[in-house]
mmCIF file of all heavy atoms in Angstrom:
data_model
loop_
_atom_site.group_PDB
_atom_site.id
_atom_site.type_symbol
_atom_site.label_atom_id
_atom_site.label_comp_id
_atom_site.label_asym_id
_atom_site.label_seq_id
_atom_site.Cartn_x
_atom_site.Cartn_y
_atom_site.Cartn_z
ATOM 1 N N MET Z 210 28.319 66.015 -9.611
ATOM 2 C CA MET Z 210 29.585 65.285 -9.611
ATOM 3 C C MET Z 210 30.735 66.116 -9.064
ATOM 4 O O MET Z 210 31.879 65.672 -9.072
ATOM 5 C CB MET Z 210 29.919 64.836 -11.043
ATOM 6 C CG MET Z 210 28.823 63.984 -11.680
ATOM 7 S SD MET Z 210 28.370 62.555 -10.692
ATOM 8 C CE MET Z 210 29.904 61.664 -10.719
ATOM 9 N N GLU Z 211 30.494 67.353 -8.609
ATOM 10 C CA GLU Z 211 31.557 68.159 -8.040
ATOM 11 C C GLU Z 211 31.855 67.723 -6.611
ATOM 12 O O GLU Z 211 30.971 67.287 -5.880
ATOM 13 C CB GLU Z 211 31.131 69.630 -8.056
ATOM 14 C CG GLU Z 211 30.976 70.190 -9.475
ATOM 15 C CD GLU Z 211 30.593 71.651 -9.434
ATOM 16 O OE1 GLU Z 211 30.441 72.187 -8.305
ATOM 17 O OE2 GLU Z 211 30.423 72.240 -10.512
ATOM 18 N N THR Z 212 33.105 67.832 -6.204
ATOM 19 C CA THR Z 212 33.542 67.414 -4.871
ATOM 20 C C THR Z 212 34.076 68.609 -4.113
ATOM 21 O O THR Z 212 34.595 69.581 -4.685
ATOM 22 C CB THR Z 212 34.634 66.338 -4.970
ATOM 23 O OG1 THR Z 212 35.722 66.864 -5.725
ATOM 24 C CG2 THR Z 212 34.102 65.094 -5.663
ATOM 25 N N ASP Z 213 33.989 68.557 -2.826
ATOM 26 C CA ASP Z 213 34.514 69.597 -1.951
ATOM 27 C C ASP Z 213 36.024 69.453 -1.873
ATOM 28 O O ASP Z 213 36.542 68.362 -1.637
ATOM 29 C CB ASP Z 213 33.867 69.484 -0.574
ATOM 30 C CG ASP Z 213 34.200 70.679 0.300
ATOM 31 O OD1 ASP Z 213 34.870 71.596 -0.193
ATOM 32 O OD2 ASP Z 213 33.767 70.657 1.482
ATOM 33 N N LYS Z 214 36.757 70.565 -2.039
ATOM 34 C CA LYS Z 214 38.221 70.502 -2.038
ATOM 35 C C LYS Z 214 38.772 70.178 -0.660
ATOM 36 O O LYS Z 214 39.778 69.491 -0.533
ATOM 37 C CB LYS Z 214 38.787 71.831 -2.522
ATOM 38 C CG LYS Z 214 38.424 72.162 -3.960
ATOM 39 C CD LYS Z 214 39.024 73.490 -4.371
ATOM 40 C CE LYS Z 214 38.644 73.828 -5.815
ATOM 41 N NZ LYS Z 214 39.225 75.136 -6.235
ATOM 42 N N GLY Z 215 38.104 70.627 0.384
ATOM 43 C CA GLY Z 215 38.636 70.387 1.728
ATOM 44 C C GLY Z 215 38.436 68.952 2.195
ATOM 45 O O GLY Z 215 39.363 68.272 2.628
ATOM 46 N N SER Z 216 37.193 68.468 2.075
ATOM 47 C CA SER Z 216 36.884 67.110 2.567
ATOM 48 C C SER Z 216 36.984 66.054 1.495
ATOM 49 O O SER Z 216 37.098 64.865 1.791
ATOM 50 C CB SER Z 216 35.476 67.092 3.169
ATOM 51 O OG SER Z 216 34.520 67.444 2.183
ATOM 52 N N GLY Z 217 36.936 66.448 0.245
ATOM 53 C CA GLY Z 217 36.991 65.479 -0.846
ATOM 54 C C GLY Z 217 35.693 64.731 -1.049
ATOM 55 O O GLY Z 217 35.674 63.707 -1.738
ATOM 56 N N GLN Z 218 34.576 65.193 -0.481
ATOM 57 C CA GLN Z 218 33.297 64.522 -0.621
ATOM 58 C C GLN Z 218 32.457 65.192 -1.698
ATOM 59 O O GLN Z 218 32.710 66.316 -2.104
ATOM 60 C CB GLN Z 218 32.538 64.534 0.707
ATOM 61 C CG GLN Z 218 33.239 63.741 1.801
ATOM 62 C CD GLN Z 218 32.428 63.737 3.074
ATOM 63 O OE1 GLN Z 218 31.386 64.389 3.155
ATOM 64 N NE2 GLN Z 218 32.911 63.017 4.070
ATOM 65 N N CYS Z 219 31.428 64.472 -2.137
ATOM 66 C CA CYS Z 219 30.520 65.001 -3.158
ATOM 67 C C CYS Z 219 29.702 66.134 -2.555
ATOM 68 O O CYS Z 219 29.337 66.091 -1.368
ATOM 69 C CB CYS Z 219 29.614 63.890 -3.682
ATOM 70 S SG CYS Z 219 28.458 64.424 -4.948
ATOM 71 N N CYS Z 222 25.946 64.679 -2.191
ATOM 72 C CA CYS Z 222 25.796 63.373 -1.536
ATOM 73 C C CYS Z 222 26.471 63.398 -0.174
ATOM 74 O O CYS Z 222 27.576 63.923 -0.027
ATOM 75 C CB CYS Z 222 26.386 62.264 -2.393
ATOM 76 S SG CYS Z 222 25.557 62.109 -3.985
ATOM 77 N N ARG Z 223 25.828 62.801 0.806
ATOM 78 C CA ARG Z 223 26.383 62.726 2.139
ATOM 79 C C ARG Z 223 27.099 61.389 2.326
ATOM 80 O O ARG Z 223 26.555 60.334 2.018
ATOM 81 C CB ARG Z 223 25.263 62.856 3.183
ATOM 82 C CG ARG Z 223 24.512 64.172 3.126
ATOM 83 C CD ARG Z 223 23.565 64.293 4.308
ATOM 84 N NE ARG Z 223 22.556 63.225 4.286
ATOM 85 C CZ ARG Z 223 21.384 63.353 3.703
ATOM 86 N NH1 ARG Z 223 21.068 64.487 3.075
ATOM 87 N NH2 ARG Z 223 20.522 62.366 3.728
ATOM 88 N N GLY Z 224 28.302 61.426 2.877
ATOM 89 C CA GLY Z 224 29.022 60.204 3.211
ATOM 90 C C GLY Z 224 29.748 59.555 2.065
ATOM 91 O O GLY Z 224 30.196 58.406 2.196
ATOM 92 N N ILE Z 225 29.895 60.208 0.906
ATOM 93 C CA ILE Z 225 30.596 59.628 -0.234
ATOM 94 C C ILE Z 225 31.889 60.400 -0.451
ATOM 95 O O ILE Z 225 31.872 61.624 -0.613
ATOM 96 C CB ILE Z 225 29.743 59.650 -1.513
ATOM 97 C CG1 ILE Z 225 28.484 58.789 -1.317
ATOM 98 C CG2 ILE Z 225 30.546 59.160 -2.709
ATOM 99 C CD1 ILE Z 225 27.588 58.780 -2.496
ATOM 100 N N GLY Z 226 33.014 59.718 -0.412
ATOM 101 C CA GLY Z 226 34.311 60.356 -0.617
ATOM 102 C C GLY Z 226 35.222 59.501 -1.469
ATOM 103 O O GLY Z 226 34.767 58.615 -2.210
ATOM 104 N N ARG Z 227 36.514 59.779 -1.324
ATOM 105 C CA ARG Z 227 37.509 59.059 -2.121
ATOM 106 C C ARG Z 227 37.919 57.726 -1.495
ATOM 107 O O ARG Z 227 38.611 56.941 -2.108
ATOM 108 C CB ARG Z 227 38.750 59.935 -2.291
ATOM 109 C CG ARG Z 227 38.511 61.163 -3.150
ATOM 110 C CD ARG Z 227 39.692 62.070 -3.141
ATOM 111 N NE ARG Z 227 39.946 62.610 -1.817
ATOM 112 C CZ ARG Z 227 40.957 63.437 -1.520
ATOM 113 N NH1 ARG Z 227 41.809 63.782 -2.465
ATOM 114 N NH2 ARG Z 227 41.113 63.906 -0.292
ATOM 115 N N LEU Z 228 37.508 57.480 -0.248
ATOM 116 C CA LEU Z 228 37.890 56.238 0.429
ATOM 117 C C LEU Z 228 37.031 55.071 -0.091
ATOM 118 O O LEU Z 228 35.841 55.237 -0.383
ATOM 119 C CB LEU Z 228 37.723 56.375 1.931
ATOM 120 C CG LEU Z 228 38.555 57.493 2.589
ATOM 121 C CD1 LEU Z 228 38.254 57.558 4.072
ATOM 122 C CD2 LEU Z 228 40.042 57.257 2.343
ATOM 123 N N VAL Z 229 37.638 53.912 -0.156
ATOM 124 C CA VAL Z 229 36.954 52.693 -0.611
ATOM 125 C C VAL Z 229 36.670 51.818 0.605
ATOM 126 O O VAL Z 229 37.580 51.530 1.396
ATOM 127 C CB VAL Z 229 37.806 51.929 -1.642
ATOM 128 C CG1 VAL Z 229 37.090 50.661 -2.075
ATOM 129 C CG2 VAL Z 229 38.094 52.818 -2.843
ATOM 130 N N GLU Z 230 35.435 51.375 0.740
ATOM 131 C CA GLU Z 230 35.058 50.516 1.866
ATOM 132 C C GLU Z 230 35.239 49.048 1.475
ATOM 133 O O GLU Z 230 34.703 48.604 0.455
ATOM 134 C CB GLU Z 230 33.601 50.763 2.259
ATOM 135 C CG GLU Z 230 33.164 49.935 3.451
ATOM 136 C CD GLU Z 230 31.712 50.198 3.819
ATOM 137 O OE1 GLU Z 230 31.074 51.047 3.146
ATOM 138 O OE2 GLU Z 230 31.218 49.549 4.748
ATOM 139 N N HIS Z 231 35.987 48.361 2.308
ATOM 140 C CA HIS Z 231 36.210 46.928 2.074
ATOM 141 C C HIS Z 231 35.358 46.134 3.055
ATOM 142 O O HIS Z 231 35.596 46.179 4.267
ATOM 143 C CB HIS Z 231 37.688 46.582 2.261
ATOM 144 C CG HIS Z 231 38.582 47.282 1.282
ATOM 145 N ND1 HIS Z 231 38.774 46.839 -0.002
ATOM 146 C CD2 HIS Z 231 39.324 48.420 1.407
ATOM 147 C CE1 HIS Z 231 39.603 47.643 -0.640
ATOM 148 N NE2 HIS Z 231 39.959 48.634 0.208
#
Side-chain angles (χ1 to χ4, degrees):
M210 303 306 296
E211 295 182 359
T212 58
D213 190 3
K214 296 180 181 180
S216 61
Q218 295 182 356
C219 180
C222 298
R223 299 188 298 268
I225 297 179
R227 292 173 296 179
L228 300 178
V229 179
E230 182 180 359
H231 297 279

